[in-house]
Amino acid sequence: MATAEAECEQMVGAGVKNLRIAILGGGIGGLAAGAFLRREGISATIYEQASQLKEVGAGLVVAPNAARLLRRLGVLDDFLRHAVRLEIGWEFRRWQDGTVLSAEDLAAACEQLYGEHTYTAHRADLLHVLRSAVPDSGIRLGKRCVDLTTRGDGRPVLRFADGEIVEPDVVIGADGIHSVVRSTIAESSPAAYSGICAFRALVPSERAPAFSRRNAQTLWIGPGHHLVHYPVSAGRFVNLVAFAPAGDDAVESWTATATVEEFLAEFEGWDPRLTELIQAGGTPGRWALLDRAPLRRWSKGAVTLLGDAAHPMFPFFGQGAAQAIEDAAVLARCLAGEPGDPSQALRRYETLRIPRTRRLQEVSHARALINHLPDGPEQQARDKSFADADPLVANGWIYAYDLDEAPEGSAATSRSAMYWRAGRGTRKLPE
């Protein structure tokens, strides 16, 4: 057995060292891809058009499926210095009076069911720990890709705004919902406006009402609207995000703002505690949610997509960042398993990932309708269904996902699973 394992390591190691990977985009997905590829011994360079790496936006949820992968990267302990461990999750409350319709008891059951806890964090804190797993030499800033073509032998060719030309073996498009890479794989079409806009604010904890400072992810749901809040940044802030019908002036931008009065007007008549929370947040950001239909394919030759470039989804299941991290881990393993045939590795990658991400896109899309039902028989039936089901168990198909089980039978498993578990160049993984 020892001989077979050594041969497996030699075969995989020799092949992956010759691969050159270009990742377009230095956000959560791109950095996760760089980190997991490095873990597999594969050289990757991240090209980011901004002059510095920074994550705009505010809070996010790191559920067990994402926490599991952060642990395997060896960055979970650093992440926990800034994250908040939730005790209550998916606490649905009625818009008018805050009646609790349903809640996950994360403190008692989450780790027992899924082997990890659930956390909330500022997006910048997650970006920071992923950045720590990528060497400085693997990141190039101020690099805006203006063209992607393919040579006669199938090798991708990248052209950047500064005139540089790069010819890697594989291109990974982690460049978001407006992806340049996506347009070379799928028919080019603009993202559609969803008719929903989001207000967001970070409320300093000393100004936030006590009910919002609990270690809980709370969703207030009502006619045409819903509002979410949870603590981030080790409890120093409360992340507040709310969804409402988009007006004609809504734009897709993390830097656009609204007024406190506009925010309050959308939630007029809701539980008065929310008025206090909204007022404590100061000037809110506002952006329009964009919508894209799921893709049938993510890859073409030696070019593929990852994260929002592949499967943008509404944020209503809190899985956008988690799915990008899952993509990165599976893609790295597939490339390590087929170092001599990257195109085959990319086909395997999309085969493994598309069904799961498509399902999450669909259920996230449907959640907008469910959360925003007007009061009446359908709303009453929904509330009863919430009371009758444990969301922690109902969402098990999301949280229980494990990389070491999902790719069974793939080339990546047969050639590199032992290599992965040995923790090449890093700490040994838990068996």
Side-chain angles (χ1 to χ4, degrees), residues 326-357:
E326 286 185 11
D327 289 347
V330 173
L331 176 55
R333 180 176 288 188
C334 288
L335 285 167
E338 290 281 0
D341 191 350
S343 295
Q344 173 61 27
L346 299 188
R347 287 192 294 272
R348 183 57 181 164
Y349 156 67
E350 69 177 17
T351 297
L352 291 169
R353 294 297 299 155
I354 285 178
R356 175 169 169 81
T357 57

Side-chain angles (χ1 to χ4, degrees), residues 59-126:
L60 49 74
V61 176
V62 175
N65 55 310
R68 187 174 297 117
L69 291 174
L70 295 182
R71 184 182 298 280
R72 289 178 181 174
L73 268 184
V75 300
L76 183 63
D77 288 345
D78 189 17
F79 174 71
L80 297 186
R81 295 189 182 98
H82 307 283
V84 174
R85 177 175 152 183
L86 291 182
E87 298 174 359
I88 301 171
W90 294 104
E91 181 186 69
F92 288 97
R93 287 178 176 261
R94 178 164 167 75
W95 67 279
Q96 208 167 25
D97 56 11
T99 299
V100 176
L101 307 174
S102 178
E104 295 175 334
D105 185 356
L106 298 177
C110 190
E111 185 179 27
Q112 180 180 356
L113 285 170
Y114 305 117
E116 297 287 352
H117 293 290
T118 296
Y119 307 92
T120 53
H122 194 288
R123 296 182 71 88
D125 294 329
L126 178 57

Side-chain angles (χ1 to χ4, degrees), residues 185-332:
I185 293 173
E187 181 179 349
S188 180
S189 60
Y193 283 101
S194 65
I196 301 172
C197 75
F199 294 85
R200 62 179 174 86
L202 280 174
V203 186
S205 59
E206 64 271 16
R207 288 164 44 190
F211 75 89
S212 66
R213 298 197 302 267
R214 299 174 304 137
N215 287 9
Q217 177 200 10
T218 301
L219 298 88
W220 301 69
I221 58 176
H225 300 68
H226 78 276
L227 182 148
V228 184
H229 57 78
Y230 48 78
V232 297
S233 302
R236 295 192 303 276
F237 295 93
V238 171
N239 183 66
L240 170 62
V241 59
F243 302 91
D248 294 336
D249 57 346
V251 296
E252 197 280 320
S253 170
W254 283 101
T255 57
T257 61
T259 66
V260 174
E261 289 72 24
E262 288 171 325
F263 195 171
L264 287 171
E266 289 292 345
F267 290 87
E268 184 178 359
W270 286 50
D271 190 303
R273 288 174 289 181
L274 297 180
T275 298
E276 183 183 358
L277 178 60
I278 290 170
Q279 289 175 329
T283 301
R286 178 172 60 183
W287 78 102
L289 268 62
L290 297 184
D291 197 8
R292 282 193 186 274
L295 292 176
R296 291 192 298 271
R297 56 184 288 189
W298 294 356
S299 305
K300 185 176 181 180
V303 179
T304 196
L305 301 171
L306 179 151
D308 283 349
H311 48 72
M313 58 186 66
F314 287 176
F316 303 149
F317 269 79
Q319 279 288 310
Q323 292 309 301
I325 295 170
E326 286 185 11
D327 289 347
V330 173
L331 176 55

Side-chain angles (χ1 to χ4, degrees), residues 17 21 42 50 64 75 104 117 137 149 160 170 177 241 292 296-297 315 326 340 358 367 395 428:
K17 287 180 181 177
I21 313 294
I42 300 175
V75 300
E104 295 175 334
H117 293 290
S137 60
T149 57
F160 292 91
V170 175
I177 193 168
V241 59
R292 282 193 186 274
R296 291 192 298 271
R297 56 184 288 189
E326 286 185 11
R358 175 184 288 268
R367 176 69 73 177
N395 292 330
K428 184 174 175 61

